[in-house]
Amino acid sequence: MRYVKMIVLLCCFICCPVVLTGCRIAFWDTTQINNIEFIRAVGVDKADNGNIRFTIATQRIISGGARGGSEQKQSEIVYSEGRTSFEAMRNFWSYSEKRPFLGHLEFILIGEEAAKEGILKYLDFFTRDAEVRLNLNVFVVKGNDAGEVIRQGNAQDKFVFDRLEGIKRHDWGLSIINDVNLMEIMYILDAKYLSLYIPCVRLLNRAETTEESRDGMEIALEGFAVFDGDKVAGYLDKEMARGLNFLKNKLKSGVVNVRSKNGTMVALEIISGGSKMKPYIKDGELHIAVEVEMDSSIAEIQGSENIFSDDSLEYLEKQQEQAIMDEVRKTIDFAQEKKLDFFGAGDAVLHKYPYEWEDFYEKDWRDVFSQVEFEITARSKISRTYDIKQPIGAKDIR
Amino acid sequence: MHGNSARSQSDKQSETEQGLTSANVEGLLQYSSDIVFRRLHINGRKDLPVTMVLIDGVIDTKAVDDYILKPLIQEGSLSECSSTSEIIEKIEHGVIYHAAAKIRRDFSECVNDIIDGSVALIFDDDKTAVTFDIKGFRERSISEPTGENVIKGAKDSFVENLRTNTASIRIKIKNPRLVIEETKIGKQTATRIAIVYIKGLTNAHIVEELKKRLNKLDTDAVLTTGVIEEAIVDRKTSPFPQVITTERPDKFCSTIVEGRVGLIIDGIPVTIVVPGTFGAFLQAPEDYSQSFIVNSIIRSMRYALMLVTLFLPGFYISVSSFHIEMIPTDLALAITASKEGVPFLTFIEVIFMLLAFEVLVEAGLRLPKNIGQAVSVVGAVVVGQAAVEARLVSPAVVVIIAVTAISSFTMPNQDFSNALRLWRFIFAILSSIIGLYGLTIGAIILLNHLSSIEVFGVPYLSPFVGGEGKNLQDAIFRFPFSSMRKRPMNLRTTNKKRRGAE
């Protein structure tokens, strides 16, 4: 009797999702894994005729036969056009041997033209589609079509998505970009007073990075693109990009070059850094105090000067404080000039003064923001001087 | 207790309807060639006849010659007797030197003794028999256990003889409260079964319930443990074992001391312990002879491997046919490459390989040992290599099934492993219908099934349920012995503490 009950229950459980959700999920409808085309990166561009043009990088492995010969990874680049993103993607189905699958899509590259026109039109499909992972990374291509980057980035042995993955993975070394995924983009576009920023890549002539004058291009990180609504409004260069990372507390590492008292160039490695935004209202005027903090270690000394004295370290600290403050100031100035609050000053005000925010600031926050006085202070410390305390060659000088 | 044997005796009684005489005994036993009747005259006196009845091969002939025949013929004091009744009295008081002499005045009792391996001296005039228990059956000596091997630990195992087995328990548990109750079950075989427990420690309800269930058992023969096992378990429709079976006296004793009740069946070198709970099936005999740290790791790994062997085929089917986005991209690509050219659905591949594995296991069991090895080699090569080359299955599936199979071999209990085998198929089928959702449903049903079983009033999932978390010192991890202060709570033993006050 108990077993009959169990079987009935089991049938109910299995039937519910089949009948109630309307999903075609039973096994006769699933696509087997070997019939799937893995889409790894999509370049989104505006076609000449106003259509949407996708450049799709897929990946597959060609197995080396039954006896287990060497397997070869391949990447293919295909184009697909349509009046809408969805149509463009579905058009790909018409000539794809296997079923295109977006579950492994990791990168969306937005071409410069498309970014200028407004990215919402291109990205909405990706946020809506059930297959797409919302944690995929979005990049804006500076100075090129996205298609061009994918074409150039895909070599015989190196694929564009692997390169992007690589440069993304060790972006902490310079902190000039930050991951921005689809979910964050959706969130920022929803918030009225926030402005969107998306990391940029650009194509770099190989001649710039290698000595051999080889053909081809490299993909390089290039700060951020800042958006007014969903249209690109300007680009942050590398310095301002790091300033933004300071402000967003997303700084991981980086290089600060300063001069010592005697003019020796010293490179400092940022160990940790961040900032606090403290809004306050004084005489009815909104001020925001930005307190930047940084911790660094000495990475390089260009000379034999002994800088490991309290005096000289203090001097270096002052110098690096000044350097960061300049960086942050530059970023804030840029934001105020464009009237784009992309680093979240509005959030800070909202949380500190919720009533005032609602009454005075929320409505025309962009104008208010451009007039706010930012007072930047910095505190820094050179905390690791490492074991080699004496500079190389210091003996002779002494 | 003697319900069945009483019934069988009354059957015999009605056949003969007569008293205890040599003629009647011969009438019942004469058809067998191994039964020996000898008419003797005590000390050569024709007025003192006696009939000796014994089963050749079952008794120790030399002992009969020396300790029974010799005194009967030569003992001078016997010749002074005037009647056989006097002789019986003398025998009772030790003229014939043997420890276990019984006076039988009942026909069927006497016949039972003879069949059990006793020598009977039947005195027709008094309708009385004296039986001597001189079993001399050449039995297998105590050898190393074959199924449950340990490196550090006792090397003895149970044998076919009940008495030897009870002896090896007595030797291990030197406690006057250790009770070994005997009963006979089986209308035709009248197999002796011993119930072993410690009075004052073991929960009396379990013992009572076990006796009740054994008495209810109406069967012809007890030649396998299955007959007994099926009769005493609570949920007969469950594939999961509800009794612990072991061939190791040390393991048997440790469960008895824990507060469980043991059953020894004559003629079977495997013993049964009730109640069998989930945790007990994942304990290997070696667990208690290792460092608790090492053992904790090994045992937790065993639990993990149980999950692997249960869920891995189903999980692979789900992930590779329904949730492709869940697999890391490189792995997904590797799977596609391995599946290139294989025409079947993943589900069919997996089921095919699972069946192939079952066939190999079964074939290996059936064949003699030396051929069995050949089968496993041929099977591995054929199923693994050839099937992949023939594009019948993808290498990824072979790996998955191999991992599943090897994990299943780590289960200490074969019956438990078999139950997992069954459920593995159920999970594979559910997964093939609706992916991970199906797998989850299956897991819930399995959990529901397991938690609904009670064995002799003890929840099957002990010690994970019903102990309020107090009994987990000996579950997934084995804590040091000093922390196992109490006996398993769910067994509701009369004597609760292992350490400290008695």
Side-chain angles (χ1 to χ4, degrees), chain A residues 2-3 6 10 13-14 16-18 25-27 30-34 36 38 40 59-63 65-67 71 73 98 101 103-104 106 131 133, chain B residues 235 237-239 320-322 324-325 327-330 332-337 339-340 342 344-346 389 391 430 432-434 437 441 445 448-449 452:
Chain A
R2 207 183 266 129
Y3 266 73
M6 197 183 278
L10 185 63
F13 278 134
I14 293 175
C16 278
V18 177
I25 54 168
F27 66 90
T30 57
T31 313
Q32 288 298 303
I33 192 166
N34 52 335
I36 272 176
F38 289 88
R40 299 295 304 277
Q59 192 181 13
R60 54 171 81 165
I61 289 187
I62 306 301
S63 65
R67 289 218 170 254
E71 289 179 343
K73 283 188 183 177
K98 298 178 172 186
F101 182 66
H104 285 271
E106 272 172 69
E131 283 175 4
R133 298 181 193 185
Chain B
R235 182 74 72 81
T237 46
S238 173
S320 68
S321 7
F322 292 91
I324 299 160
E325 67 277 1
I327 318 173
T329 312
D330 287 335
L333 283 164
I335 293 173
T336 52
K339 214 170 156 357
E340 204 60 57
V342 179
F344 303 116
L345 297 175
T346 311
E389 279 183 23
R391 291 294 183 201
L430 282 175
S432 72
I433 301 173
I434 37 175
Y437 181 79
I441 291 171
I445 290 174
N448 176 45
H449 170 68
S452 71

Side-chain angles (χ1 to χ4, degrees), chain B residues 1 3-4 7 183 185 208-219 231-232 236:
Chain B
M1 281 304 291
N4 291 310
R7 200 184 310 138
T183 177
I185 292 178
E208 281 314 306
E209 185 61 32
L210 180 63
K211 283 182 194 166
K212 217 166 81 188
R213 287 181 194 178
L214 282 177
N215 277 343
K216 264 195 218 157
L217 174 60
D218 182 11
T219 182
I232 58 176
K236 294 179 176 50

Side-chain angles (χ1 to χ4, degrees), chain A residues 144-157:
Chain A
N144 264 113
D145 276 356
E148 189 63 25
V149 172
I150 289 182
R151 247 193 326 278
Q152 297 285 353
N154 242 23
Q156 192 66 40
D157 49 346

Side-chain angles (χ1 to χ4, degrees), chain B residues 246-281:
Chain B
T246 179
E247 52 170 349
R248 298 184 58 86
D250 54 344
K251 189 180 176 187
F252 184 84
C253 291
S254 78
T255 53
I256 299 296
V257 171
E258 211 172 45
R260 297 177 205 261
V261 185
L263 275 183
I264 309 173
I265 305 163
D266 194 23
I268 302 175
V270 176
T271 53
I272 293 176
V273 179
V274 291
T277 50
F278 187 80
F281 295 113

Side-chain angles (χ1 to χ4, degrees), chain B residues 137-210:
Chain B
F137 181 59
R138 210 170 281 249
E139 60 180 77
R140 193 164 62 91
S141 58
I142 294 176
S143 57
E144 275 195 46
T146 49
E148 301 163 82
N149 281 320
V150 296
I151 297 163
K152 279 196 278 179
K155 296 265 189 263
D156 57 338
S157 69
F158 284 122
V159 293
E160 279 78 2
N161 188 308
L162 177 73
R163 197 45 74 216
T164 315
N165 291 347
T166 54
S168 39
I169 292 161
R170 278 279 181 209
I171 287 165
K172 286 203 162 63
I173 307 178
K174 294 197 175 68
N175 184 344
R177 291 165 183 274
L178 177 74
V179 178
I180 300 175
E181 275 184 46
E182 252 181 60
T183 177
K184 281 189 181 169
I185 292 178
K187 266 190 289 194
Q188 305 303 329
T189 59
T191 310
R192 291 191 295 160
I193 291 178
I195 302 172
V196 184
Y197 60 95
I198 298 176
K199 221 179 180 67
L201 184 153
T202 315
N203 183 353
H205 293 291
I206 297 179
V207 180
E208 281 314 306
E209 185 61 32
L210 180 63

